[in-house]
Amino acid sequence: MSLALYRRYRPETFAEVIGQEHVTDPLQQALRNNRVNHAYLFSGPRGCGKTTSARILARCLNCEQGPTPTPCGECQSCRDLARGGPGSIDVIEIDAASHGGVDDARDLREKAFFGPASSRYKIYIIDEAHMVTSAGFNALLKVVEEPPEHLKFIFATTEPEKVIGTIRSRTHHYPFRLVPPGTLRDYLAQVCERESIPVEDGVFPLVVRAGAGSVRDSMSVMDQLLAGAGEGGVTYAMATALLGYTDGALLDDIVDAFASGDGAAAFEVVDRVIEGGHDPRRFVADLLERLRDLVILAAVPDAGEKGLIDAPADVVERMAAQASVFGAAELSRAADVVNAGLTEMRGATSPRLQLELICARVLLPAAYGDERSVQSRLDRLERQALAGGLAAPAVGYAPAADAHGAPSGPAAARAAVRPAGGGAPE
């Protein structure tokens, strides 16, 4: 039976843990100085290395060469606690979700005072520690506060605020963080290289986004893609279809339609989204992500090189070309409209209708009299002037309206969108 990817590549030393240097470096220094505390609290989002780091710390403490920041990997304790090892009788992992009651805590307390069978320390790793009841924590309080010399506690939790203060105050608290996208992407690329399966560059940002900063979640997604890879490896088309993300070609087409004010092209993309079986809400979320990238590229042309945008070089180049076509106000307004539309789509009975309304609002800034819409119309007129297309402005001559929907000065509105020649409205 094939072992899950996140288990096959689970770190065995602190040096292999990615994105948590603010935790692993102080822990290694404490091991070097032989100033290890009797109780630790590891907190942070799921899949970011809390339990893995607890196992590594136990390995460092019970290594024959230890306590050491770099376990030898050869002694009996290191082999027992290695990846795929049988485990050690002196390192006890407890799932508090099913063993968090007061009776379980009393049983642990009674057994804790017995010395280790063959190791330097007896170490309790209590996972999902927030599930321990208040009575259970109170039953543990005395042994956590004044444990015998051979005893160590490591609590791991996603919700540290639920661990009662009297326990928290007796531990060294290390908060874990989500792994940065760039670090996670490089790690996934290394794993795929070791698996000898080719993966297209465009796949990694999708996996990182699906994993949302969690190493375990990202590895699970990557494992699923590798399992379904054909002879050509993992392709971008396969990843978008399997993960439910929108194909970049659809996003390119609708952004181009917004830039040119081409309503027919925009609504044709909407039809392709629906006919292709895509979730309209996911499409709008992906469109908002694209507009965010365009806003950043418009403000920071070298955003790709600075790591502000996580995408392959060819995609960044294509997005830079798109950003250069829009005015700053147009991009900002489009992103605001799409963001508001995404909020409205939650619970909507007709997602397609909502999507079409979003497109209409982006395409018709002349229908709105707010300052940002006027700026957007001016951006479009400037673009038409540069292209020499002022004879028939796409924005039309609709009068501006105030916050209550009443006209706020037709003459002023016409002046804002009138061609340079000063012709009368049709």
Side-chain angles (χ1 to χ4, degrees):
M1 184 179 67
S2 177
L3 202 62
L5 206 62
Y6 69 85
R7 292 181 61 192
R8 204 180 316 155
Y9 291 96
R10 174 171 278 154
E12 293 187 307
T13 65
F14 284 125
E16 295 176 8
V17 177
I18 64 167
Q20 308 297 339
E21 290 77 12
H22 64 288
V23 170
T24 57
D25 288 349
L27 282 176
Q28 290 182 87
Q29 194 58 46
L31 287 161
R32 289 189 193 97
N33 297 338
N34 198 21
R35 294 181 64 88
V36 179
N37 196 42
H38 64 274
Y40 288 91
L41 175 61
F42 292 168
S43 68
R46 70 176 190 273
C48 60
K50 301 182 296 297
T51 306
T52 295
S53 295
R55 292 173 182 169
I56 293 172
L57 180 57
R59 203 165 179 241
C60 293
L61 288 170
N62 280 342
C63 175
E64 283 186 2
Q65 309 296 325
T68 172
T70 53
C72 67
E74 297 176 0
C75 66
Q76 186 62 46
S77 175
C78 284
R79 291 200 302 271
D80 289 344
L81 295 172
R83 184 170 50 222
S88 170
I89 194 173
D90 295 320
V91 178
I92 304 101
E93 289 193 37
I94 298 175
D95 178 14
S98 54
H99 297 84
V102 65
D103 291 335
D104 298 297
R106 285 172 180 160
D107 184 54
L108 185 156
R109 186 182 60 193
E110 290 170 5
K111 293 178 180 177
F113 284 98
F114 292 102
S118 58
S119 305
R120 183 178 293 106
Y121 296 107
K122 177 180 279 191
I123 301 169
Y124 282 94
I125 298 173
I126 302 177
D127 210 0
E128 305 297 336
H130 59 277
M131 300 294 285
V132 178
T133 63
S134 294
F137 272 130
N138 284 322
L140 283 177
L141 184 57
K142 194 63 178 175
V143 71
V144 172
E145 182 179 19
E146 297 177 4
E149 290 186 3
H150 65 263
L151 192 60
K152 302 288 184 186
F153 284 97
I154 306 173
F155 299 93
T157 178
T158 55
E159 301 177 55
E161 67 280 357
K162 290 187 178 180
V163 178
I164 63 174
T166 48
I167 290 287
R168 280 207 312 270
S169 66
R170 289 158 173 82
T171 65
H172 285 185
H173 183 193
Y174 287 91
F176 285 66
R177 303 170 186 162
L178 293 173
V179 178
T183 304
L184 194 49
R185 178 178 177 173
D186 292 343
Y187 180 70
L188 290 172
Q190 292 172 14
V191 169
C192 292
E193 187 177 346
R194 292 171 67 178
E195 289 291 306
S196 301
I197 298 178
V199 178
E200 291 184 3
D201 283 345
V203 171
F204 293 115
L206 299 181
V207 176
V208 169
R209 185 176 168 192
S214 165
V215 181
R216 184 176 62 230
D217 290 1
S218 300
M219 293 285 274
S220 294
V221 172
M222 197 75 248
D223 200 7
Q224 184 179 1
L225 293 175
L226 294 178
E231 293 182 0
V234 181
T235 63
Y236 177 79
M238 169 195 168
T240 53
L242 191 60
L243 300 179
Y245 287 119
T246 306
D247 192 310
L250 283 173
L251 297 175
D252 287 338
D253 290 346
I254 199 161
V255 168
D256 290 342
F258 288 163
S260 61
D262 189 344
F267 291 112
E268 183 185 346
V269 173
V270 172
D271 189 63
R272 284 161 55 196
V273 168
I274 303 302
E275 291 300 319
H278 298 286
D279 180 5
R281 295 178 185 83
R282 172 55 68 87
F283 176 77
V284 174
D286 291 342
L287 175 58
L288 182 60
E289 185 86 10
R290 170 60 66 89
L291 290 171
R292 171 263 180 197
D293 289 344
L294 295 180
V295 168
I296 290 179
L297 278 168
V300 187
D302 58 345
E305 298 172 11
K306 290 184 175 180
L308 298 177
I309 293 176
D310 185 24
D314 59 324
V315 175
V316 173
E317 186 177 347
R318 187 163 66 247
M319 288 194 297
Q322 291 174 339
S324 66
V325 175
F326 285 92
E330 277 186 295
L331 271 178
S332 178
R333 177 182 176 274
D336 281 347
V337 169
V338 172
N339 184 49
L342 181 60
T343 303
E344 293 171 4
M345 288 183 83
R346 292 172 185 154
T349 55
S350 178
R352 174 174 183 155
L353 178 59
Q354 291 289 337
L355 176 54
E356 289 171 337
L357 289 174
I358 290 169
C359 293
R361 290 170 188 151
V362 174
L363 288 165
L364 299 173
Y368 302 87
D370 58 279
E371 182 180 349
R372 185 160 289 179
S373 295
V374 173
Q375 277 296 121
S376 179
R377 293 154 66 191
L378 290 174
D379 279 350
R380 190 173 292 183
L381 282 173
E382 287 178 2
R383 207 165 61 243
Q384 290 173 348
L386 291 174
L390 275 172
V395 292
Y397 293 99
D402 62 17
H404 303 288
S408 59
R414 283 196 293 272
V417 295
R418 182 171 295 157
E426 297 175 1

